[in-house]
Amino acid sequence: MNDVCRYIDDHGKESVEELFDLVRMPSVSARRQAIQETAEHLAEKLQDLGFETRIMPKRGTGQPVLYAEAPGDSERTILVYNHYDVQPDEPLDEWETEPFEPTRRDGRIYGRGICDDKGNVMARIAALRAIKETRGSLPSRIKFLIEGDEEIGSPFFEEFVDDNRDLLKADACLWEGSGVDPEGRPLLPLGVKGLLYVELSCRTVARDVHSSYATVVPNPAWRLTWALSTMKDEDENILIDGFYDDVRDTTDAEADAIDRMPAEEEAFAKSLELERFVLGVKGKDFRKRLYLAPSCNIDGLTAGYQGPGSKTISPGRASAKLDFRLVPDQDPHDIERKLRRHLEKHGFEDIQVETFGAEHPARTSLDKEWVAIVRDTLSSVYGKETVVVPTMAGTGPMYPVVKMLGVPTADTGVGYIDSRIHAPNENIREEDFMMGIKAAAAVFDAFGRWKG
C-alpha cells in the first residue's frame, strides 16, 4: 500500500478541496434543500472513477438515493453505505464561522455535515481514486448506496432495499462513518440502535387565556408534564408496560468487547463541561449503559409564551418531542403501540401521538470474518489496536442491510470525540481526514484480497 499512501499524501490538497466543495452544498434534508444537486454532484465524482450511476427515487416521501457500481479485480462485492444529507444548521448564533463555508482553524476543518457524513463520503472516493490511479483498477466490485434523508429517519429506506434486493447484493458492507478515540485508536462499531421518534401534544382549550383563569381552566402544559412523569422514574427505569420484553441478551463476546473498550467518559465529560453522568455511571457501567441500554429521551418541550419579559397566560396547547433509542430485538412499531396503551392506561387518552420516525436496531456478530479483516486492517494503518464497539449509541438504517440482505457491516470513519455532529461548529481534524482516506484504501485493498 506504500504507492497508494504516497498518492494520497501527494494529492491531499485536492482531496480537501473536493471535500470543501461538497460541504458548501447545503443539503439539509429536513428542509428538502439542495438535495438533487448534491446527489448529481456526487454522481459526477463517481462517474470520473468509472462508476455507472443512477439517482433512484424512493417510495412515498423518501428523497432520492444515489446508486453507483463499478467492477474490480475480485468477483466479490462490497456495498458502501453513506448519506449526503445533513442536519439543519441552527442555532446560527452559536457558529463561530459560516456553517456551509468550510473553514480551517487550528488543524480542524469546520462546516455543517463535514463529519456526518460528507467527510466520510469524500474519504472513500479519494481512497478509490488513489487505488485506481496507482494500480489501474479497483480491488473488487464496489457498490455505493448514498442516501438523501438519513438525517430525518431514512423514510422508506427499508422499502427501497426490499425493492432492490438483487441490485444491492453484496458480500460485506462498509458503513457510513466512525473515527478514533481520544488516544487515536480506530473505532470499529458493528451495529446501531433503533429509533422511535414521536410528538405528544395536548390541547385543553381553543386558545390561550388570561392566567387569572388558571384556577378553573385546565392547563395543557401541566397535563403533558404529568403524562411524561409516568413514563420514567428517577432511577431512569422506563415504565411503559412491556418496554423491555424483547431486549436481546448480550452475548459473551459483546460483553467482553465492552469490557475491553478503553475509558472514554472523562474526555467526553470534559467536552460537555459535565461533572456527573446519569446515575453517576463510570467505567464499564458507563459503556454498558451508553451502548447496550435503550432510552426514553425528551428532545423538546413547547407551551405558551417563551419570548422576552412576561406574559401572563394559560396556554391552549402543549407538545413534547420524544425519541426512544432501541436495542435488538425491540421493534419500534411495537414500542409505539405500547406507548399509546400506556397513555390510555394512565388516563391520558386525550394526548395525541404523532410518529415521525421508526427504525429497527441492527448488529453484526463479532465472529464474522469481515469484522476481523477490517479490525486487523485498521490496526495496521493506525499502528494502534482497533477498539471494537458492538454497537453505536446512535441510529442509522442498518437493519435492512443486515436483516434483508444478510450482509455483515463494519463502520470506519474520520471523526473524533469533539467532532460535534448535529451541533454548531461541527468539525473534523485534517489529520483524521487524511488517515481516513488511507484506512479506507487499505480496507478496500484487503477486501479485494479476501478469499473467504
Side-chain angles (χ1 to χ4, degrees), residues 9 23 82 112 121 128 159 172 184 206 227 252 264 339 352 372 390 393 395 405 415 421 431 433 441 446:
D9 287 334
V23 173
N82 287 99
R112 171 53 85 227
V121 176
L128 292 174
E159 291 83 352
D252 291 342
E264 60 182 286
L339 169 63
Q352 300 297 307
T395 298
L405 301 180
I421 60 173
E431 63 179 309
F433 180 62

Side-chain angles (χ1 to χ4, degrees), residues 31 37 66 80 98 149-150 175 201 229 244-245 269 277-278 300 326 365 409 418 442:
R31 298 196 287 256
E37 51 264 53
L66 170 60
V80 182
E98 290 296 321
D149 48 15
E150 191 273 346
W175 201 248
S201 61
S229 72
Y244 296 101
D245 284 357
F277 286 105
V278 166
L326 309 175
S365 174
T409 66
D418 198 28

Side-chain angles (χ1 to χ4, degrees), residues 336-389:
E336 180 191 351
R337 290 189 291 270
K338 288 174 177 174
L339 169 63
R340 292 178 185 273
R341 287 198 296 268
H342 173 89
L343 291 170
E344 292 174 3
K345 173 184 174 180
H346 289 270
F348 295 104
E349 60 279 344
D350 57 314
I351 290 181
Q352 300 297 307
V353 180
E354 183 176 4
T355 300
F356 288 96
E359 294 186 67
H360 289 82
R363 195 178 296 172
T364 291
S365 174
L366 276 73
D367 61 6
K368 295 292 185 182
E369 190 174 357
W370 170 233
V371 173
I373 289 171
V374 179
R375 180 197 64 212
D376 294 345
T377 300
L378 293 180
S379 295
S380 176
V381 171
Y382 286 88
K384 298 182 179 182
E385 184 178 357
T386 300
V387 179
V388 177
V389 184

Side-chain angles (χ1 to χ4, degrees), residues 45-100:
K45 294 296 179 186
L46 289 166
Q47 288 164 9
D48 290 343
L49 294 177
F51 281 79
E52 293 184 6
T53 65
R54 287 189 252 173
I55 296 176
M56 303 174 66
K58 282 186 183 177
R59 297 187 199 176
T61 60
Q63 296 177 147
V65 171
L66 170 60
Y67 175 79
E69 182 175 346
D73 298 333
S74 168
E75 286 304 310
R76 283 188 175 275
T77 300
I78 183 170
L79 179 67
V80 182
Y81 172 87
N82 287 99
H83 62 91
Y84 61 84
D85 66 313
V86 302
Q87 284 281 327
D89 44 346
E90 289 85 357
L92 295 175
D93 60 347
E94 294 186 20
W95 283 85
E96 295 181 21
T97 53
E98 290 296 321
F100 293 107

